[in-house]
């Protein structure tokens, strides 16, 4: 990673107010904000036995103390009033009420309660002051409790609630979301006639809106009619915004203007928020123009404008508004920083942060969150640790949102352990914390740890939601655990968590785990299916070898009026390539052209794979050559295609062309190239490119790369050299490597090495039926029939089954499938008669003699010959000859490797019947023509 500059964290200079003039009066001193001089002057008036200062003098200073939240000075004033007797002479309770107000503003609710409890007589003003103190200290519930105590004492004390009382209590009900209590207060307001007060009515609108009862809020608003003021309109607009009714908020704003009310700062902020939420840039610009015209822009409005432009993606306009703000505050700086992050300008965000610090603003909570997001997206781990260290130093790391953002930053920087340490040190964890750590482990392929954290979260009482479930499903997918998936699926059904997105993902994972029936059940039960649903099911069929079903379902999707996207097209092209259905492949290609889909990216690579998979290299090359800007995936697809068709030297030529264009190869590119070398007996070239991969491109080979080289050496006859190569590998060889060696040993009859490979293969993958089949075949070739019987018994005991040999051929628009000794085809009799005719002609004119060594069964020679004659590819060839015109090429696919006798049979058919025959087996393509094969008998 490139070196990143350290982030500038510097101390912020403090600003001082200008001193007031020495001769100013006490009231003027308070207006000027000179608290120290005001306190000195108040104290001087009561010195040397003089009468205590008037209560209004105390009131002026206490108001300033409340504004400054200077609780220490407030307590001094309280003590001064007690010592001078001013508080004892306060019969009307004016001074006590001022003190209550001051304690409330300073957040000293216990002091306010003690003062209130000691008052000999309480007026409505003192009750209102205590309710206000509760609200100021964040105790909305306490405010409601004080109101109830006031109502209970009303008959004795005679202090009935007034409009200010009800307005404050309604505000508390709104903060608590207590619509029931708010309705009770509304009833009292109606009973006492206070509901006609604009102050109370506005509070009612605000209370109902905050409680989510927007209909009630708007009914009160409409009832007000002539009693509305600007605050009434603002309350209604704000209520709509709070409840997500943005269009209704815009409609109210238009009505407000038509009724002749001028907007103020609160109106502007509310409407700009609507424009931001709806991305209504034009409305926002109109409002900006109106503000410029009347010249009433304030910081709060400018900040709202900045946010609006940011949400609409107009970063330059947001920056212009920011630059025009005269006295920028933290909201201004943080809004602009957030603007860069929201619009993915992460480097610019970090540069802007430097400017912020240079202007004397230290990072606060909001700034840290935005900065961590930018650093995370850029993957700058060093800078992320600097921000983390600053947060720890300023004791901000204990903040829940910052801790969650730190975890997310470390995940984006691929530092799972750091993210986990942040999580472990959090004293308080919310749902986001648990979701983040589970996602962290799931995305890092640490699936078991993700499941472990999920179980711990459940013990902590954290409920599963769709987002957390997405991460758990990711872990199920990674573990390929069908039992765990069923548990999660059942839990989600019971708790009503399944939306369409999750159902689609569950279809995907059931498909990945091979449970097609479960996936299909979910698919069929869905009333509403989107393109993702259809694509997931198509891919499920294709990935599990049900290629015909995948193509049929794609047709149903088109008939249902669902327009496929590029992901769906890539999936169906893969299925068609598996079927080798050139006709259907051409239909999809035509659909792409007619639909004017951009033939680029994954789509064009899939087209190349499809045409090459259908045996048509000419079409594959044509598609490849038409693409001007080729990426590494497309180059790799073409290298792989030529390798599959046995054109190893052409694959090397394409690889060299790729390097000349400046495209760097990746692991898959080298794998395709080594595969091509392996199937063209290019031993020296294969060694050379493996060395190039490591020494020049610094790519650590996968097991598959080593397996290609083992296959290349082994099948060229160098089985001992292949074994030495395995022993020199820098990592422990897996089953794919031993499988390659065993296949080579079988071809070249190296039985000693074959036994070593057999033991390793069955040890590493005891549940893979393909391995047992390969080992059984090796024993059969060695004539060890007891071992063959033992292997087949093991397979039966473990419930493993060999895939039956299957071949298919496309005639017209239909794919015809054949299995060995197949008599199920409607033309079966004609096919077998034609096959007998072909065999007789080959014997008579081509000197064909069956090589029964390829029949790995302990049966008589006659039975072996009969088994060879009934191989599935011979049935497909026979059907092709009777179903197509003379000279028409035949394209056949087989799910297993072609045996040597069928290979010789097909060569003679291509010569004596003058047909080009293309056969794709499990390993590669064979192009038969004129009695020869493109593989050169090396496969």
């Amino acid at each position: 990673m490139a070196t990143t500059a350290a982030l500038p964290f510097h101390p912020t200079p403090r600003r001082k107010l200008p001193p007031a003039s020495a001769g100013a009066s006490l009231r003027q001193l308070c207006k000027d904000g000179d608290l120290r001089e005001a306190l000195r002057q108040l104290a001087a008036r009561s010195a040397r036995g003089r009468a205590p200062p008037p209560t209004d003098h105390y009131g002026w200073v206490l108001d300033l103390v409340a504004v400054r939240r200077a609780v220490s000075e407030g307590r001094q004033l309280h003590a001064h009033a007690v010592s001078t007797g001013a508080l004892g002479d306060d019969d009307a309770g004016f001074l006590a009420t001022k003190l209550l107000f001051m304690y409330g503003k300073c957040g000293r609710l216990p002091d306010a309660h003690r003062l209130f409890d000691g008052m000999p007589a309480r007026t409505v003003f003192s009750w209102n002051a205590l309710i206000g103190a509760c609200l100021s200290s964040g105790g909305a519930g306490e405010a409601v409790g004080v109101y109830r105590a006031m109502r209970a004492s009303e008959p004795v004390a005679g202090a009935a609630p007034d409009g200010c009382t009800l307005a404050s209590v309604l505000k508390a009900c709104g903060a608590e979301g207590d619509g029931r209590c708010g309705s009770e207060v509304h009833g009292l307001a109606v009973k006492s006639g206070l509901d006609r007060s604009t102050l109370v009515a506005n509070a009612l609108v605000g209370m109902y809106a905050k409680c989510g009862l927007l209909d009630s809020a708007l009914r009160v608003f409409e009832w007000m009619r002539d009693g509305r003021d600007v605050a009434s309109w603002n309350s209604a607009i704000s209520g709509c915004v709070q409840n997500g009714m943005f269009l209704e908020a815009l409609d109210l704003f238009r009505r407000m203007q038509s009724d002749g009310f001028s907007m103020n700062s609160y109106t502007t902020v509310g409407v700009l928020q609507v424009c931001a939420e709806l991305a209504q840039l034009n409305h926002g610009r109109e409002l900006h123009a109106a503000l410029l015209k009347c010249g009433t822009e304030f910081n709060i409005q400018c900040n709202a404008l900045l946010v609006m432009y940011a949400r609409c993606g107009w970063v330059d306009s947001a920056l212009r508004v920011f630059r025009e703000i005269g006295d920028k505050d933290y909201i201004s700086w943080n809004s602009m920083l957030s603007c860069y992050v929201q619009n993915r300008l992460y480097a610019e965000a970090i540069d802007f942060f430097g400017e912020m610090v240079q202007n004397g603003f230290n990072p606060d909570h909001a700034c840290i969150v935005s900065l961590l997001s930018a650093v995370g997206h850029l993957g700058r781990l060093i800078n992320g640790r600097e921000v983390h260290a600053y947060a720890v130093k300023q004791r901000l790391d204990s903040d829940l949102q910052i801790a969650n953002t730190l975890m997310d930053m470390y995940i984006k920087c691929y530092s799972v352990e750091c993210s986990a340490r942040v999580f472990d040190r959090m004293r308080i964890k919310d749902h986001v914390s648990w979701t983040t750590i589970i996602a962290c482990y799931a995305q890092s392929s640490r699936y078991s740890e993700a499941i472990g954290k999920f179980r711990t979260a459940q013990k902590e009482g954290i409920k599963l939601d769709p987002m957390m479930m997405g991460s758990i499903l990711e872990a199920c997918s990674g573990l390929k655990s069908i039992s765990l998936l069923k548990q999660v699926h059942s839990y989600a059904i019971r708790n009503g968590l399944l939306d369409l997105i999750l159902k689609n993902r569950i279809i995907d994972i059931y498909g990945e785990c091979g449970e097609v029936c479960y996936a299909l059940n979910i698919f069929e039960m869905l009333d509403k299916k989107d393109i993702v649903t259809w694509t997931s099911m198509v891919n499920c069929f294709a990935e599990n070898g049900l290629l015909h079903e995948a193509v049929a379902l794609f047709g149903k999707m088109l008939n249902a009026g669902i327009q496929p996207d590029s992901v769906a097209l890539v999936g169906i092209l893969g299925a068609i390539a598996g079927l080798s259905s050139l006709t259907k492949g051409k239909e999809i290609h035509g659909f792409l052209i007619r639909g004017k889909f951009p033939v680029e990216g994954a789509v064009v690579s899939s087209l190349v794979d499809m045409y090459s998979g259908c045996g048509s290299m000419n079409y594959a090359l044509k598609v490849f050559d038409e693409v001007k800007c080729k990426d590494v995936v497309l180059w790799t697809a073409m290298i792989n295609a030529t390798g599959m068709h046995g054109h190893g030297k052409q694959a090397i030529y394409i690889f060299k062309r790729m390097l000349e264009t400046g495209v760097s190869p990746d692991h898959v590119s080298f794998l395709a190239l080594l595969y091509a070398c392996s199937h063209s007996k290019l031993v020296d070239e294969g060694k050379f490119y493996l060395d190039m991969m490591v020494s020049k491109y610094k790519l650590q080979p996968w097991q598959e790369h080593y397996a290609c080289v083992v296959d290349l050496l082994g099948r060229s006859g160098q089985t001992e050299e292949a074994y030495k190569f395995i022993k020199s590998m820098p990592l422990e060889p897996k089953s794919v490597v031993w499988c390659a060696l065993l296949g080579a040993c079988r071809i070249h009859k190296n039985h000693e090495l074959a036994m070593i490979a057999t033991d390793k293969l069955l040890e590493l993958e005891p549940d893979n039926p393909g391995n047992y089949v390969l080992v059984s075949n090796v024993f059969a070739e060695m004539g060890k029939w007891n071992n063959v019987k033992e292997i087949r018994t093991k397979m039966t005991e473990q419930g493993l089954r060999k895939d039956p040999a299957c071949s298919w051929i496309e005639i017209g628009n239909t794919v015809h499938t054949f299995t060995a000794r197949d008599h199920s085809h409607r033309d079966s009799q004609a096919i077998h008669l034609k096959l007998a005719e072909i065999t007789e002609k080959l014997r008579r004119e081509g000197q064909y003699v069956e090589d029964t060594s390829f029949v790995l069964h302990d049966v008589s020679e006659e039975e072996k010959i009969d088994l060879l004659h009934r191989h599935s590819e011979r049935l497909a060839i026979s059907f092709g000859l009777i179903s197509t015109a003379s000279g028409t090429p035949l394209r056949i696919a087989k799910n297993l490797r072609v045996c040597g006798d069928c290979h010789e049979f097909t060569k003679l058919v291509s010569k004596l019947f003058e047909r080009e025959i293309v056969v794709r087996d499990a390993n590669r393509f064979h192009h038969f023509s004129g009695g020869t094969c493109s593989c050169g008998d090396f496969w």
Side-chain angles (χ1 to χ4, degrees):
M1 187 176 68
T3 303
T4 51
L7 298 177
F9 292 105
H10 302 303
T12 306
R14 296 188 177 273
R15 300 178 182 180
K16 295 181 179 179
L17 291 169
S21 59
S25 67
L26 180 63
R27 189 168 192 174
Q28 189 61 44
L29 284 169
C30 293
K31 285 183 178 180
D32 292 341
D34 193 343
L35 179 58
R36 185 175 181 180
E37 184 61 27
L39 287 169
R40 190 194 63 77
Q41 197 172 115
L42 186 68
R45 294 194 179 196
S46 59
R48 298 179 182 177
R50 294 170 60 183
T55 54
D56 56 346
H57 288 199
Y58 280 107
W60 298 334
V61 184
L62 283 169
D63 286 342
L64 180 56
V65 169
V67 170
R68 293 288 190 82
R69 290 176 169 75
V71 67
S72 178
E73 287 81 355
R75 282 175 170 169
Q76 291 177 31
L77 277 173
H78 188 175
H80 190 274
V82 171
S83 64
T84 59
L87 194 59
D89 297 337
D90 184 34
D91 296 332
F94 171 81
L95 182 54
T97 302
K98 283 288 185 182
L99 281 165
L100 280 172
F101 176 78
M102 179 274 296
Y103 280 128
K105 284 293 184 182
C106 292
R108 300 298 304 178
L109 193 55
D111 292 332
H113 272 295
R114 277 195 294 272
L115 175 63
F116 182 81
D117 292 342
M119 292 174 66
R122 296 162 184 164
T123 65
V124 67
F125 304 108
S126 54
W127 283 104
N128 289 348
L130 184 59
I131 291 171
C134 293
L135 276 174
S136 299
S137 302
E142 277 192 80
V144 174
V146 171
Y147 162 73
R148 296 195 186 282
M150 177 185 183
R151 292 295 311 281
S153 66
E154 182 183 338
V156 178
D162 61 6
C164 291
T165 313
L166 298 188
S168 296
V169 176
L170 287 169
K171 183 178 179 181
C173 292
E176 287 286 288
D178 191 347
R180 183 175 180 180
C181 179
S183 297
E184 291 175 7
V185 177
H186 190 179
L188 176 64
V190 171
K191 186 177 179 181
S192 61
L194 291 172
D195 62 323
R196 290 189 290 272
S197 162
T198 303
L199 176 67
V200 174
N202 290 345
L204 280 167
V205 173
M207 179 275 296
Y208 280 126
K210 287 179 180 176
C211 292
L213 303 169
L214 187 61
D215 289 343
S216 298
L218 292 179
R219 275 199 296 272
V220 173
F221 174 77
E222 295 298 340
W223 174 83
M224 292 172 70
R225 295 182 182 174
D226 298 335
R228 296 173 189 146
D229 58 7
V230 173
S232 311
W233 288 98
N234 288 344
S235 295
I237 292 170
S238 176
C240 289
V241 172
Q242 289 166 11
N243 288 274
M245 309 291 284
F246 303 117
L247 293 174
E248 289 78 357
L250 275 180
D251 182 59
L252 280 170
F253 175 63
R254 294 190 185 100
R255 284 175 55 194
M256 173 184 176
Q257 289 181 307
S258 63
D259 283 3
F261 286 90
S262 299
M263 61 183 180
N264 60 14
S265 297
Y266 294 102
T267 319
T268 307
V269 170
V271 178
L272 284 171
Q273 186 179 347
V274 171
C275 295
E277 293 291 341
L278 297 176
Q280 289 284 339
L281 180 63
N282 289 336
H283 287 299
R285 294 178 73 188
E286 288 173 9
L287 201 56
H288 190 183
L291 290 171
L292 290 172
K293 187 175 180 180
C294 63
T296 58
E297 286 186 87
F298 301 105
N299 266 22
I300 186 173
Q301 294 170 329
C302 289
N303 291 337
L305 274 170
L306 198 162
V307 171
M308 183 275 296
Y309 281 124
R311 293 287 292 276
C312 293
W314 278 47
V315 179
D316 290 340
S317 296
L319 185 59
R320 193 157 49 245
V321 170
F322 173 80
R323 297 296 182 203
E324 290 171 359
I325 299 174
D327 187 18
K328 299 177 181 68
D329 56 14
Y330 268 99
I331 296 175
S332 311
W333 286 97
N334 286 335
S335 296
M336 192 62 224
L337 182 64
S338 178
C339 170
Y340 282 122
V341 175
Q342 287 172 21
N343 289 279
R344 301 181 181 181
L345 300 171
Y346 306 118
E348 289 83 349
I350 291 178
D351 292 340
F352 181 78
F353 165 71
E355 180 185 342
M356 178 179 179
V357 172
Q358 287 172 8
N359 280 270
F361 285 86
N362 266 1
D364 62 357
H365 168 277
C367 177
I368 291 292
V369 169
S370 295
L371 191 59
L372 284 171
S373 179
V375 169
H377 280 96
L378 290 173
R380 295 185 181 179
L381 181 59
I382 295 174
N383 288 156
R385 284 175 172 164
E386 289 177 341
V387 180
H388 189 178
Y390 177 84
V392 171
K393 187 177 179 181
Q394 300 297 319
R395 298 183 179 178
L396 293 171
D397 61 317
S398 59
D399 179 87
L400 191 57
Q401 187 182 11
I402 287 180
N404 289 339
T405 312
L406 274 168
M407 289 171 61
D408 183 66
M409 180 274 295
Y410 280 124
I411 293 170
K412 288 185 171 69
C413 292
Y414 304 103
S415 183
V416 179
E417 298 304 331
C418 289
S419 184
R421 278 198 293 272
V422 171
F423 177 82
D424 291 338
R425 290 175 182 173
M426 292 170 67
R427 293 181 180 177
I428 299 174
K429 301 177 179 75
D430 64 357
H431 188 274
V432 175
S433 315
W434 286 100
T435 302
T436 304
I437 194 64
I438 291 169
C440 172
Y441 284 126
Q443 292 167 16
S444 304
S445 300
R446 295 167 64 166
Y447 307 118
S448 297
E449 289 166 279
I451 298 299
K453 286 293 181 188
F454 167 63
R455 286 174 175 150
T456 307
Q458 285 186 304
K459 291 176 184 176
E460 295 289 329
I462 303 295
K463 289 188 177 180
L464 184 68
D465 70 350
M467 186 171 290
M468 189 182 290
M469 188 180 172
S471 296
I472 299 304
L473 289 173
E474 186 75 22
C476 294
S477 173
L479 292 170
K480 295 290 184 290
S481 172
I482 191 66
S483 61
L484 181 62
L485 174 59
K486 288 176 180 177
Q487 290 176 45
V488 175
H489 188 187
S490 300
Y491 180 93
I493 293 172
R494 288 195 306 271
N495 291 276
L497 295 170
L498 289 180
D499 56 15
L500 186 57
I501 295 172
L502 288 177
K503 288 176 182 176
N504 293 341
R505 185 67 184 118
I506 289 174
I507 291 172
D508 283 334
I509 301 174
Y510 273 126
E512 291 167 10
C513 294
E515 295 286 346
V516 181
C517 291
Y518 282 102
L520 188 59
N521 284 341
I522 298 170
F523 176 82
E524 290 177 342
M525 285 191 294
L526 286 174
D527 295 326
K528 293 183 179 179
K529 303 177 180 73
D530 61 6
I531 179 61
V532 180
T533 316
W534 287 94
T535 303
S536 295
M537 198 62 230
V538 168
N539 289 341
C540 174
F541 280 137
E543 289 166 3
N544 287 279
L546 302 171
L547 306 178
H548 293 284
E549 289 83 351
V551 173
L553 187 64
F554 185 80
K556 288 181 181 178
M557 181 182 83
L558 296 179
N559 292 335
I562 303 294
Q563 182 73 6
D565 58 9
S566 58
V567 179
L569 291 168
V570 167
I572 195 60
L573 284 170
I576 289 169
L579 276 176
S580 290
S581 176
L582 185 60
T583 304
K584 287 183 171 59
K586 286 180 177 179
E587 288 176 5
I588 297 297
H589 194 179
F591 178 84
L592 279 166
I593 295 169
R594 290 192 303 274
K596 297 180 180 179
F597 283 86
V599 183
E600 59 188 17
V603 172
V604 70
S605 301
S606 297
L607 275 173
V608 169
D609 285 337
M610 182 274 294
Y611 278 124
S612 64
C614 293
S616 181
M617 280 300 294
N618 290 336
Y619 281 112
L621 280 167
K622 186 177 180 182
V623 171
F624 176 79
D625 290 335
E626 286 175 354
V627 179
K628 293 181 180 179
C629 297
K630 301 176 178 69
D631 60 10
V632 67
V633 178
L634 181 56
W635 283 105
T636 301
M638 200 65 232
I639 293 167
N640 185 59
T642 51
M644 281 177 63
H645 287 266
H647 308 308
K649 292 189 181 297
Q650 187 180 357
I652 291 173
Y653 169 72
I654 293 170
F655 180 79
K656 288 178 178 177
R657 278 179 57 196
M658 179 181 79
L659 299 184
E660 288 168 1
T661 60
V663 176
S664 295
D666 59 9
H667 281 87
V668 184
S669 306
F670 276 107
L671 186 59
L673 185 62
L674 291 171
Y675 178 91
C677 293
S678 172
H679 286 279
S680 296
K681 207 175 183 179
L682 301 174
V683 179
D684 292 335
E685 290 85 346
K687 291 179 179 178
F688 172 79
Y689 285 112
L690 181 68
D691 180 67
M692 174 191 283
M693 175 183 178
V694 176
S695 59
K696 184 175 180 179
Y697 291 97
K698 311 299 180 187
L699 297 172
Q700 179 60 44
W702 299 338
Q703 293 280 343
E704 290 79 4
H705 295 96
Y706 291 118
C708 276
V709 176
V710 170
D711 184 64
L712 175 58
L713 292 168
R715 288 198 301 112
S716 63
Q718 304 177 47
T719 51
E720 294 293 340
E721 185 70 23
Y723 184 52
K724 288 179 183 177
F725 178 80
I726 291 174
K727 291 196 288 186
S728 69
M729 284 172 54
L731 42 91
E732 190 68 26
K734 296 286 180 70
S735 58
V736 65
V737 176
W738 292 110
C739 188
L741 179 64
L742 183 58
C745 290
R746 178 190 166 193
I747 294 169
H748 296 285
K749 315 296 183 186
N750 190 333
H751 295 156
E752 184 179 345
L753 269 184
M755 294 306 296
I756 295 173
T758 293
D759 293 340
K760 291 287 186 181
L761 198 56
L762 295 182
E763 177 188 335
L764 290 168
E765 284 190 351
D767 299 325
N768 187 335
N771 293 340
Y772 285 93
V773 172
L774 183 56
V775 170
S776 173
N777 290 343
V778 171
F779 283 137
E781 286 185 348
M782 294 167 65
K784 296 185 176 183
W785 298 110
N786 288 335
N787 295 88
V788 171
K789 186 177 180 181
E790 184 183 336
I791 290 294
R792 290 176 179 171
T793 302
K794 275 188 179 180
M795 287 183 68
T796 304
E797 289 173 352
Q798 294 185 39
L800 304 176
R801 187 173 61 89
K802 174 191 173 184
D803 290 332
C806 176
S807 297
W808 54 94
I809 182 171
E810 184 178 34
I811 303 295
N813 201 28
T814 305
V815 176
H816 299 262
T817 305
F818 300 91
T819 57
R821 301 181 294 279
D822 195 350
H823 288 273
S824 62
H825 196 276
R826 66 173 186 270
D827 296 325
S828 177
Q829 186 175 359
I831 292 168
H832 283 87
L833 285 172
K834 183 66 176 178
L835 179 56
E837 177 192 328
I838 294 168
T839 305
E840 183 58 33
K841 185 173 182 177
L842 297 189
R843 285 172 175 165
R844 188 177 61 250
E845 300 178 23
Q847 289 76 51
Y848 167 65
V849 178
E850 292 86 348
D851 186 350
T852 57
S853 66
F854 292 101
V855 180
L856 303 176
H857 295 277
D858 189 16
V859 294
S860 67
E861 195 69 15
E862 291 77 12
E863 287 177 292
K864 289 182 178 181
I865 291 172
D866 185 60
L867 288 172
L868 282 175
H869 289 175
R870 297 169 187 272
H871 277 190
S872 60
E873 58 266 53
R874 301 194 190 202
L875 297 174
I877 289 171
S878 300
F879 180 67
L881 289 176
I882 64 176
S883 303
T884 59
S886 178
T888 304
L890 302 181
R891 290 186 172 85
I892 296 165
K894 185 176 181 180
N895 65 333
L896 303 178
R897 184 174 176 271
V898 173
C899 79
D901 190 68
C902 287
H903 192 267
E904 190 64 27
F905 176 90
T906 310
K907 283 199 297 183
L908 290 171
V909 171
S910 71
K911 178 182 178 181
L912 298 179
F913 288 85
E914 297 180 349
R915 292 288 190 108
E916 179 187 350
I917 304 174
V918 180
V919 178
R920 190 193 79 186
D921 69 6
N923 289 350
R924 57 170 298 155
F925 274 88
H926 301 263
H927 292 258
F928 298 94
S929 180
T932 61
C933 180
S934 60
C935 72
D937 296 336
F938 179 79
W939 81 100

mmCIF file of all heavy atoms in Angstrom, residues 144 159 239 347 363 399 560 718 777-778:
data_model
loop_
_atom_site.group_PDB
_atom_site.id
_atom_site.type_symbol
_atom_site.label_atom_id
_atom_site.label_comp_id
_atom_site.label_asym_id
_atom_site.label_seq_id
_atom_site.Cartn_x
_atom_site.Cartn_y
_atom_site.Cartn_z
ATOM 1 N N VAL A 144 -43.772 14.882 32.690
ATOM 2 C CA VAL A 144 -45.159 14.413 32.737
ATOM 3 C C VAL A 144 -45.544 14.094 34.185
ATOM 4 O O VAL A 144 -46.663 14.386 34.629
ATOM 5 C CB VAL A 144 -45.347 13.183 31.831
ATOM 6 C CG1 VAL A 144 -46.757 12.614 31.989
ATOM 7 C CG2 VAL A 144 -45.094 13.543 30.372
ATOM 8 N N ALA A 159 -53.360 26.219 41.800
ATOM 9 C CA ALA A 159 -52.499 26.516 40.648
ATOM 10 C C ALA A 159 -52.957 25.670 39.477
ATOM 11 O O ALA A 159 -52.506 24.540 39.282
ATOM 12 C CB ALA A 159 -51.043 26.237 40.985
ATOM 13 N N GLY A 239 -44.074 17.834 10.962
ATOM 14 C CA GLY A 239 -44.729 16.565 11.259
ATOM 15 C C GLY A 239 -44.762 15.648 10.051
ATOM 16 O O GLY A 239 -44.517 14.444 10.162
ATOM 17 N N ALA A 347 -11.033 10.735 -1.102
ATOM 18 C CA ALA A 347 -9.752 11.444 -1.009
ATOM 19 C C ALA A 347 -9.984 12.928 -0.762
ATOM 20 O O ALA A 347 -9.275 13.571 0.034
ATOM 21 C CB ALA A 347 -8.946 11.228 -2.280
ATOM 22 N N PRO A 363 -11.770 17.625 15.466
ATOM 23 C CA PRO A 363 -12.792 16.632 15.099
ATOM 24 C C PRO A 363 -13.724 16.324 16.269
ATOM 25 O O PRO A 363 -13.271 16.103 17.388
ATOM 26 C CB PRO A 363 -11.963 15.394 14.725
ATOM 27 C CG PRO A 363 -10.597 15.899 14.430
ATOM 28 C CD PRO A 363 -10.404 17.104 15.299
ATOM 29 N N ASP A 399 -18.197 5.916 22.418
ATOM 30 C CA ASP A 399 -19.463 6.233 21.751
ATOM 31 C C ASP A 399 -19.857 5.064 20.841
ATOM 32 O O ASP A 399 -19.037 4.549 20.077
ATOM 33 C CB ASP A 399 -19.314 7.509 20.918
ATOM 34 C CG ASP A 399 -20.592 7.856 20.181
ATOM 35 O OD1 ASP A 399 -21.445 8.537 20.754
ATOM 36 O OD2 ASP A 399 -20.725 7.435 19.011
ATOM 37 N N ALA A 560 -43.356 -15.131 -19.212
ATOM 38 C CA ALA A 560 -44.001 -14.411 -18.107
ATOM 39 C C ALA A 560 -43.796 -12.904 -18.224
ATOM 40 O O ALA A 560 -44.277 -12.148 -17.371
ATOM 41 C CB ALA A 560 -43.453 -14.904 -16.772
ATOM 42 N N GLN A 718 6.005 -39.035 -18.381
ATOM 43 C CA GLN A 718 7.005 -38.760 -17.343
ATOM 44 C C GLN A 718 6.354 -38.871 -15.949
ATOM 45 O O GLN A 718 6.330 -37.920 -15.183
ATOM 46 C CB GLN A 718 7.615 -37.376 -17.555
ATOM 47 C CG GLN A 718 8.241 -37.169 -18.929
ATOM 48 C CD GLN A 718 8.763 -35.746 -19.111
ATOM 49 O OE1 GLN A 718 9.444 -35.206 -18.237
ATOM 50 N NE2 GLN A 718 8.438 -35.151 -20.251
ATOM 51 N N ASN A 777 -11.211 -48.339 -11.646
ATOM 52 C CA ASN A 777 -10.749 -48.563 -13.013
ATOM 53 C C ASN A 777 -9.276 -48.955 -13.056
ATOM 54 O O ASN A 777 -8.858 -49.797 -13.867
ATOM 55 C CB ASN A 777 -10.970 -47.304 -13.858
ATOM 56 C CG ASN A 777 -12.439 -47.035 -14.120
ATOM 57 O OD1 ASN A 777 -13.278 -47.933 -13.960
ATOM 58 N ND2 ASN A 777 -12.769 -45.819 -14.527
ATOM 59 N N VAL A 778 -8.490 -48.324 -12.181
ATOM 60 C CA VAL A 778 -7.066 -48.681 -12.115
ATOM 61 C C VAL A 778 -6.909 -50.138 -11.689
ATOM 62 O O VAL A 778 -6.123 -50.908 -12.282
ATOM 63 C CB VAL A 778 -6.308 -47.736 -11.148
ATOM 64 C CG1 VAL A 778 -4.881 -48.242 -10.906
ATOM 65 C CG2 VAL A 778 -6.272 -46.325 -11.706
#
